[in-house]
Amino acid sequence: MATEIKVLLVDDEPLERQAIRFLLSRERPHYQVAAEAGNGIEAVELASVIKPDIVFLDIRMPGMDGLAAGREIRALLPEARLVFVSAYGEFDYAREAVSLGASKYLLKPMDGEEVIKLMDELAFYISAARRRRQETARLKEALEKMKPLIRLGFIMDLINGNITAGEAESRALFLGVTSLPRLALLVDIDNFANFAQDGAEIERQLLKQRVKECIEKAAATWPGALVAPVTGDEFAVLLPLERAGKEYDARRDAIRLGEAICRQVRRETGVTVTVGIGRPAESVTGLARSYAEAAAAAEFRLLYGGDQVIHADDVAARSRARRFLPDREEQELAQAIRMGDRELARRQAGRILMELTLEEERPSLLKMKILELVALAANAALEAGADAEAVSDLTLAASGEFLHLDNLADMRQRILERLMELVDQVATSREQRNSVLIERAGRFIEANFSRDLTLEEVAQQVYLSPCYFSRLFKQVKGQNFIDYLTRVRLRAAKELLLNTDLPVAAIAERVGYHDARYFGQVFKKQEGYTPGVYRKIGGAKFAGSTD
């Protein structure tokens, strides 16, 4: 499709303008002469209205000459192409025309072919420039649509520590973030798991959106605050600290903001949230630490209840206290859970629980210590491949149960039972995983038994060491690898003996035995007959013996 070009003709001689108009209408009708002007002043006025792509300007005109008009049109329309025309070939005119960004300087009388060639060249560049502008506009529009995702990615990189100071400044500038954050809050919806069990998915999403809007409404009082959902029921609130005023106190103001968030969510949604607050970071690169502190503080909801603000400073004493589980005992319990060893895990956990309940006299700290024990067991179970949802359910159940128990004996017994359930989850998951791997190995053997198949090759298919694979295969299949492979091969051989007239030697070759005599020996040992006898007594329609 030809490019439509708007042309403005400026010349004090009507015949000159008429000649160009006629030439274009005959040779290039899609190059539209949008307007004509007889002097520079009129040309500038018309250019501001019609916004031509190409302007033919006669240099010598009364009032305002072409060079003066060109300067003003260039200021109005930087993309317009200027073509200066004059009957005078003086160098000074040409030099000033070039300084104005002239696309061409033509002398009268103009050659028609030269004009058409020039117009085609200019149209090509104009068309290319239009495409570039359209592509740029399209990309800008797409980028604007992507900005919420880019903003979310920026926040996630900040709280995970995956960004340098330079990158943070660059991305903040692009997103219009004027002050980089240095303080993190984590907002967690209380009892969201229970709500989610009873509600449809759309209700869950609507609730999260309403909570997010409440957080944003409350955070709007803090200039530059960034809010983003980070997990299913948690939100990050990142705050810059460049606030003016003598009375400014980051801790106090952050707590006030957290309390405002709690009130806003409670009032508008009917649910409650817990707000954890970290300590201020020295720079944006320390924000990940502040967020980790906020997340750790929010976890104390399990001890203190929800619908409140918990600052990292308020629970810092817990982290400075002596570690209550010695590394050796931790490692032994974790290893027993990872191995799925129920008895060993029971003994080790029972010993730890007894020590805790005898040594710790403060109920609140005892509960916190048992929380850490449950977390240790849950992590070990997950590392061993236990089902994440089942581990989460057991951990939440254990945490909820023991927080309401006042009797130490009952507490020890209940937690011990839950820990054993975690061990059982590990054992179940391991059995399922092992079964899947061995079934996959069995299918590989079924598909490749006719080759010189080795235990090492099959073990490699399921990414296990040959030694471990050999033990696991026998445990799951009830027979070792060679016996299983032999049974698969002989089953295929029996099918061929009863349903084909292939010679025994050929059948041996087909099922993976290159020595027909050895095949016959293996067959007789397993079946009690030679292949030939088996074929005869099996009722095959082929009577001839092929021994």
Side-chain angles (χ1 to χ4, degrees):
M1 181 176 177
T3 304
E4 293 186 0
I5 301 294
K6 286 196 294 185
V7 181
L8 172 61
L9 301 179
V10 186
D11 197 308
D12 60 343
E13 294 290 340
L15 290 178
E16 294 290 343
R17 302 197 302 269
Q18 184 177 352
I20 297 177
R21 177 187 289 273
F22 176 75
L23 176 66
L24 294 180
S25 65
R26 184 186 65 190
E27 301 294 336
R28 298 291 188 273
H30 52 282
Y31 298 163
Q32 173 195 1
V33 177
E36 298 180 21
N39 59 67
I41 297 173
E42 186 181 358
V44 173
E45 292 176 352
L46 285 171
S48 65
V49 175
I50 67 170
K51 294 181 173 50
D53 300 297
I54 300 174
V55 182
F56 279 84
L57 283 160
D58 185 26
I59 290 180
R60 286 294 185 92
M61 292 185 295
M64 178 186 289
D65 65 21
L67 294 175
R71 278 191 292 271
E72 296 201 20
I73 292 173
R74 171 64 68 217
L76 287 171
L77 305 171
E79 299 294 325
R81 269 46 175 197
L82 305 181
V83 179
F84 289 96
V85 182
S86 176
Y88 305 91
E90 288 88 346
F91 175 73
D92 288 343
Y93 289 133
R95 181 171 58 189
E96 188 167 356
V98 170
S99 72
L100 293 173
S103 296
K104 193 73 172 179
Y105 181 80
L106 300 177
L107 291 175
K108 295 180 180 179
M110 291 180 288
D111 179 74
E113 288 186 5
E114 185 180 7
V115 171
I116 293 300
K117 181 181 178 182
L118 172 61
M119 288 293 294
D120 289 343
E121 289 177 359
L122 296 180
F124 173 80
Y125 291 116
I126 291 169
S127 178
R130 283 178 183 173
R131 287 194 298 271
R132 287 194 299 272
R133 287 195 296 272
Q134 290 169 355
E135 180 64 13
T136 300
R138 186 188 67 79
L139 291 174
K140 284 183 177 179
E141 182 181 359
L143 205 54
E144 284 299 317
K145 292 179 179 178
M146 289 287 291
K147 264 193 176 180
L149 289 177
I150 297 172
R151 187 184 185 89
L152 176 60
F154 177 52
I155 292 173
M156 294 301 293
D157 283 344
L158 287 174
I159 64 177
N160 289 317
N162 297 330
I163 192 169
T164 65
E167 290 169 342
E169 290 176 1
S170 175
R171 289 167 67 178
L173 181 64
F174 169 74
L175 291 167
V177 175
T178 55
S179 298
L180 289 172
R182 289 171 41 216
L183 179 63
L185 280 64
L186 179 138
V187 183
D188 196 352
I189 302 174
D190 297 330
N191 300 315
F192 185 74
N194 293 337
F195 173 86
Q197 288 175 358
D198 300 331
E201 180 62 25
I202 188 170
E203 294 175 350
R204 296 173 53 174
Q205 298 302 326
L206 287 173
L207 172 63
K208 287 190 287 187
Q209 180 60 31
R210 290 171 61 201
V211 171
K212 179 174 178 287
E213 290 171 357
C214 291
I215 297 171
E216 290 173 335
K217 192 178 296 183
T221 59
W222 193 300
L226 301 175
V227 178
V230 289
T231 66
D233 57 350
E234 296 176 356
F235 301 85
V237 181
L238 309 184
L239 306 174
L241 296 181
E242 291 77 11
R243 302 182 75 189
K246 295 181 180 179
E247 301 301 319
Y248 171 56
D249 182 306
R251 172 189 164 88
R252 180 201 62 198
D253 289 358
I255 290 174
R256 287 178 177 174
L257 174 59
E259 291 170 345
I261 291 172
C262 288
R263 288 194 302 272
Q264 192 82 31
V265 173
R266 188 189 322 115
R267 182 170 61 247
E268 296 195 15
T269 70
V271 301
T272 62
V273 295
T274 297
V275 180
I277 302 177
R279 300 180 182 87
E282 291 296 325
S283 68
V284 69
T285 55
L287 192 64
R289 178 188 56 78
S290 180
Y291 183 75
E293 292 171 347
E299 289 179 358
F300 277 79
R301 170 183 58 185
L302 293 172
L303 295 179
Y304 306 144
D307 194 19
Q308 64 174 304
V309 178
I310 306 173
H311 196 283
D313 287 341
D314 297 333
V315 294
R318 309 297 190 261
S319 63
R320 289 195 295 269
R322 177 183 65 84
R323 277 182 64 83
F324 64 92
L325 291 178
D327 287 340
R328 180 182 58 79
E329 293 187 5
E330 280 189 0
Q331 292 169 5
E332 289 179 1
L333 176 58
Q335 182 63 16
I337 293 172
R338 284 192 290 266
M339 292 169 57
D341 190 328
R342 207 172 195 279
E343 290 308 313
L344 179 58
R346 177 185 287 277
R347 289 197 303 272
Q348 190 63 25
R351 187 181 307 120
I352 292 174
L353 286 169
M354 183 62 71
E355 291 176 3
L356 290 179
T357 53
L358 290 176
E359 294 176 3
E360 183 55 67
E361 298 178 352
R362 293 165 291 181
S364 60
L365 287 183
L366 175 60
K367 290 181 177 181
M368 184 188 71
K369 292 177 178 182
I370 294 178
L371 270 178
E372 186 173 332
L373 179 65
V374 173
L376 168 74
N379 286 333
L382 290 173
E383 289 171 3
D387 180 72
E389 187 173 350
V391 170
S392 175
D393 291 343
L394 285 170
T395 306
L396 289 173
S399 301
E401 286 170 351
F402 87 81
L403 285 173
H404 301 291
L405 292 172
D406 295 324
N407 183 285
L408 290 180
D410 290 345
M411 182 181 293
R412 283 197 301 265
Q413 183 61 30
R414 177 59 64 182
I415 291 302
L416 196 57
E417 290 173 359
R418 291 299 186 183
L419 292 180
M420 292 307 98
E421 290 178 11
L422 284 173
V423 178
D424 291 342
Q425 280 294 325
V426 171
T428 300
S429 175
R430 179 165 295 159
E431 289 174 4
Q432 293 173 344
R433 185 169 65 252
N434 290 345
S435 179
V436 169
L437 289 175
I438 297 305
E439 287 304 318
R440 189 192 308 166
R443 290 194 296 272
F444 182 78
I445 294 170
E446 297 276 355
N448 297 276
F449 66 85
S450 61
R451 297 195 293 104
D452 288 332
L453 208 55
T454 64
L455 181 143
E456 288 75 15
E457 181 182 358
V458 180
Q460 187 177 17
Q461 292 297 315
V462 291
Y463 307 104
L464 295 176
S465 70
C467 183
Y468 181 70
F469 171 74
S470 178
R471 292 199 306 270
L472 187 60
F473 191 91
K474 187 169 184 179
Q475 177 184 330
V476 174
K477 291 293 188 181
Q479 55 187 313
N480 63 34
F481 167 76
I482 292 298
D483 289 343
Y484 184 86
L485 176 59
T486 299
R487 289 184 181 277
V488 170
R489 285 173 167 172
L490 295 187
R491 185 173 65 244
K494 288 189 286 186
E495 289 288 331
L496 293 171
L497 285 168
L498 295 178
N499 296 290
T500 73
D501 60 353
L502 289 171
V504 170
I507 291 175
E509 187 73 28
R510 284 199 179 192
V511 299
Y513 292 99
H514 302 302
D515 186 334
R517 178 172 296 181
Y518 177 67
F519 165 67
Q521 293 171 352
V522 172
F523 193 97
K524 183 175 182 180
K525 181 179 179 181
Q526 292 291 331
E527 304 299 328
Y529 306 99
T530 65
V533 172
Y534 180 85
R535 170 174 275 172
K536 290 176 182 178
I537 67 173
K541 59 185 178 180
F542 310 107
S545 173
T546 55
D547 267 343

